[in-house]
Amino acid sequence: MDDRQFRTAMGKFATGVTVITTDVEGDVHGMTANAFMSVSLSPKLVVISIGENARILEKIKQSKTFSVNILAADQQELSMIFAGQIKEHREVVFDRLDGKPVLAGAVAQIACEVSAVHVEGDHTLFIGKVTDIHLEDAEPLIFYSGRYRALTEEKTLV
Ligand code: FAD
């Protein structure tokens, strides 16, 4: 098994797209991530996985807080900005939820305080205790097999 085969297999898991945001002394930093999962209902915990070379890693360690912004279908450009896929600097305005930076128009904004940190291989897992949530009624952006997509139809089982 080589790296490419592993990446291809992991890309077969269709996900939403999030932008993780944090701020250190008012300086906001964001990063696109799809390694996000709900962990526990009581207490309410989520997990994100950040690569060892990502600049946001040290920032979350410092701030001990982060927000998860689940992007809407019309926010692909934001995903590309925060993944470095759009190179030139774009001015992004951030709202606040529980004092933490969030992106307006996201399907869900989830404000978190870091409750545990686990280094696993070349990634760091941050467990976040959820401190506040804001929801919008919008369709999500989807990522599958390395490409952005949108939901097309609702399948019913009966
Ligand atoms: P930087 O390279 O420092 O920043 C990324 C980009 O965001 C830069 O272009 C920067 O200009 C811009 N930016 C940052 N803050 C601001 C701001 N305040 N205003 C305007 N622009 C700003 N990597 C992971 O580690 N984990 C994942 O789960 C993950 N999932 C991904 C899912 C998808 C769909 C994609 C496309 C990428 C994913 N990545 C993931 C890769 C990751 O998004 C990139 O490697 C990212 O560029 C690394 O982030 P960084 O903190 O080093 O950010």
Side-chain angles (χ1 to χ4, degrees):
M1 192 215 312
D2 61 15
D3 290 2
R4 202 168 124 196
Q5 190 182 24
F6 181 79
R7 289 173 79 119
T8 302
M10 296 306 116
K12 297 299 178 193
F13 188 55
T15 66
V17 181
T18 80
V19 172
I20 309 298
T21 45
T22 193
D23 69 341
V24 177
E25 288 161 10
D27 185 21
V28 180
H29 193 88
M31 190 196 86
T32 301
N34 63 350
F36 160 70
M37 184 176 85
S38 165
V39 171
S40 160
L41 187 59
S42 181
K44 291 178 180 54
L45 301 174
V46 298
V47 64
I48 57 170
S49 177
I50 307 288
E52 63 187 355
N53 295 322
R55 288 172 48 202
I56 202 168
L57 181 62
E58 285 309 315
K59 294 176 189 287
I60 296 177
K61 283 184 189 168
Q62 277 181 51
S63 67
K64 297 185 175 59
T65 64
F66 63 87
S67 305
V68 180
N69 302 269
I70 301 177
L71 296 185
D74 63 0
Q75 293 183 310
Q76 180 180 330
E77 187 176 88
L78 282 176
S79 174
M80 296 177 74
I81 290 171
F82 290 105
Q85 293 169 327
I86 293 175
K87 298 291 174 209
E88 67 272 18
H89 180 76
R90 300 277 176 92
E91 207 56 47
V92 178
V93 178
F94 297 91
D95 284 352
R96 294 272 161 179
L97 178 70
D98 194 31
K100 302 165 185 86
V102 288
L103 290 169
V107 173
Q109 303 166 341
I110 305 163
C112 302
E113 284 168 3
V114 173
S115 68
V117 182
H118 304 275
V119 178
E120 297 293 343
D122 56 13
H123 276 59
T124 297
L125 306 181
F126 289 99
I127 307 291
K129 183 169 183 275
V130 177
T131 59
D132 206 351
I133 281 181
H134 174 81
L135 295 170
E136 293 283 340
D137 190 13
E139 291 288 299
L141 182 63
I142 303 295
F143 197 69
Y144 173 69
S145 249
R147 295 174 66 174
Y148 294 104
R149 309 189 186 233
L151 295 177
T152 51
E153 63 179 293
E154 199 170 326
K155 287 214 189 287
T156 47
L157 290 175
V158 284

